[in-house]
């Protein structure tokens, strides 16, 4: 676990204050979809409709409204399609793969093939975006003429885990690709796919597919920029035992409510991060077995699937 430095915490604290002056977010429903949206938002999902509803909610309240949402099911058999349709927004499209593949890669690739936007943004179906997430990403990418933009992502562990850190942090001189970027904080130009290809199957790459994807982009010399803003909140399913059996949504619902009702929400989140970072309390996390070989393709995925209750 990487803790933030005192300087990083002070910078985040200073930046958080401006959000207190923002108006409360409101969902906006569109009756017509743009033919060429600025951003295509891809949400890969599998049989967890309660959190999916909240993830979509956090897209619909974005200050930047020029988007489409592609919800790509990995062989869903629950009511996820009905949840998607219940919003009544013409910008949301549902696409369900005929079989379950056990990983988000095929669903993300299906979304990429359907995407019409200039930019692609990803959102985990159990994660939440702050209302200014897309705006800050597009602004950063445009100003820097970058291929990729990344927000800071607050990684939030379950109660009692003492796990809270920030992902998406990289040096001012640029991202190098080794550490990975939380995918719910990533936006990239759609033409990136023409150069590096789609996401790769976890069984043929030894890095996680999301890490492999951005690593290949960095290796190809693509430009990365950070917004420096913490606008995505990730509730890591890989450290929530049996979450796909129990399918809770309490944490995500609480964050939606807090963002809507607390002007000082962002400042309080930074304080919560500071308490963990400054105390250096060791987190309680599942013990991942050692790989059979350092470069064994996909060795982590079966462990995390079992831990989540998927097999």
């Amino acid at each position: 676990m990487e803790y933030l430095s005192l300087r990083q915490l002070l910078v985040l604290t200073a930046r958080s204050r401006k959000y207190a002056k923002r108006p409360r977010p409101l969902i906006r429903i569109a009756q017509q979809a743009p033919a060429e949206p600025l951003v295509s938002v891809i949400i890969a999902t599998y049989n967890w409709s309660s959190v999916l509803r909240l993830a979509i909610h956090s897209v619909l309240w974005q200050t930047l409204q020029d988007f489409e949402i592609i919800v790509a099911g990995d062989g869903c058999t629950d009511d996820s399609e009905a949840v998607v349709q219940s919003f009544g927004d013409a910008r949301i499209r549902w696409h369900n793969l005929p079989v379950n593949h056990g990983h988000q890669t095929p669903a993300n690739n299906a979304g990429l093939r359907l995407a019409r936007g200039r930019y692609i943004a990803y959102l985990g179906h159990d994660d939440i975006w702050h209302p200014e997430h897309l705006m800050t990403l597009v602004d950063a990418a445009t100003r820097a003429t970058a291929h990729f933009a990344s927000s800071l992502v607050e990684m939030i562990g379950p109660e009692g885990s003492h796990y809270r850190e920030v992902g998406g942090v990289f040096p001012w001189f640029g991202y190098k690709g080794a550490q990975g970027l939380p995918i719910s904080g990533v936006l990239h130009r759609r033409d990136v796919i023409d150069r590096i290809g789609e996401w790769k199957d976890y069984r043929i790459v030894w890095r996680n597919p999301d890490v492999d994807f951005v690593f290949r982009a960095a290796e190809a010399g693509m430009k990365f920029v950070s917004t420096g803003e913490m606008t995505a909140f990730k509730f890591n399913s890989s450290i929530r035992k049996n979450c796909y059996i129990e399918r809770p949504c309490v944490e995500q619902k609480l964050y939606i409510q807090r963002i809507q009702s607390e002007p000082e929400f962002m400042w309080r989140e930074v304080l919560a991060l500071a308490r963990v970072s400054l105390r250096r309390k060791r987190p309680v996390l599942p013990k991942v077995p050692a790989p059979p070989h350092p470069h064994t393709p996909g060795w982590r995925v079966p462990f995390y699937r079992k831990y989540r209750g998927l097999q």
Side-chain angles (χ1 to χ4, degrees), residues 102-157:
H103 194 270
Q104 65 175 312
T105 290
N108 280 333
N109 286 339
L112 286 172
R113 292 165 200 155
L114 293 169
R116 298 172 299 186
R118 178 182 175 188
Y119 293 104
I120 307 291
Y122 303 92
L123 175 59
H125 69 170
D126 51 346
D127 298 336
I128 298 296
W129 281 347
H130 185 275
E132 297 195 28
H133 178 75
L134 284 181
M135 182 67 77
T136 56
L137 282 172
V138 171
D139 283 351
T142 303
R143 286 197 309 270
T145 59
H147 299 89
F148 278 75
S150 174
S151 73
L152 303 183
V153 180
E154 185 180 13
M155 320 278 277
I156 304 162

Side-chain angles (χ1 to χ4, degrees), residues 43-47 49 52 56 69-85 89-97 114:
I43 305 177
T45 190
Y46 177 67
N47 284 6
S49 62
L52 174 62
I56 294 172
I69 305 173
I70 302 167
V71 183
D74 186 22
C76 290
T77 56
D78 66 346
D79 63 340
S80 290
E81 181 178 5
V83 165
V84 170
Q85 301 300 340
D89 193 301
R91 295 170 296 181
I92 309 177
R93 288 190 281 164
W94 166 256
H95 178 80
N96 196 26
L97 298 176
L114 293 169

Side-chain angles (χ1 to χ4, degrees), residues 35-54:
E36 296 181 357
L38 180 61
V39 183
S40 293
V41 178
I42 298 175
I43 305 177
T45 190
Y46 177 67
N47 284 6
W48 196 351
S49 62
S50 58
V51 290
L52 174 62
R53 181 184 296 279
L54 298 168

Side-chain angles (χ1 to χ4, degrees), residues 103 105-106 108-109 112-113 122 147-148 175-181 183 188 191-202 204-224:
H103 194 270
T105 290
N108 280 333
N109 286 339
L112 286 172
R113 292 165 200 155
Y122 303 92
H147 299 89
F148 278 75
Y175 174 71
K176 297 302 180 184
Q179 75 270 39
L181 295 171
I183 205 65
H188 63 75
D191 61 10
V192 160
I193 305 302
D194 297 331
R195 289 182 55 186
I196 67 169
E198 299 177 337
W199 288 44
K200 292 188 177 180
D201 191 295
Y202 74 87
I204 64 171
V205 290
W206 65 270
R207 297 181 177 90
N208 284 345
D210 55 329
V211 178
D212 172 79
F213 180 70
V214 294
F215 181 82
R216 284 186 283 127
E219 288 290 285
M222 294 187 178
K223 185 175 182 179
F224 286 72

Side-chain angles (χ1 to χ4, degrees), residues 12 32 96 113 161 164 203 217 225 228 233 261 275 284:
L12 270 182
Q32 186 173 356
N96 196 26
R113 292 165 200 155
S161 66
R164 191 181 289 256
R203 292 165 294 188
V225 64
F233 306 95
S261 63
R275 283 193 291 270
V284 180

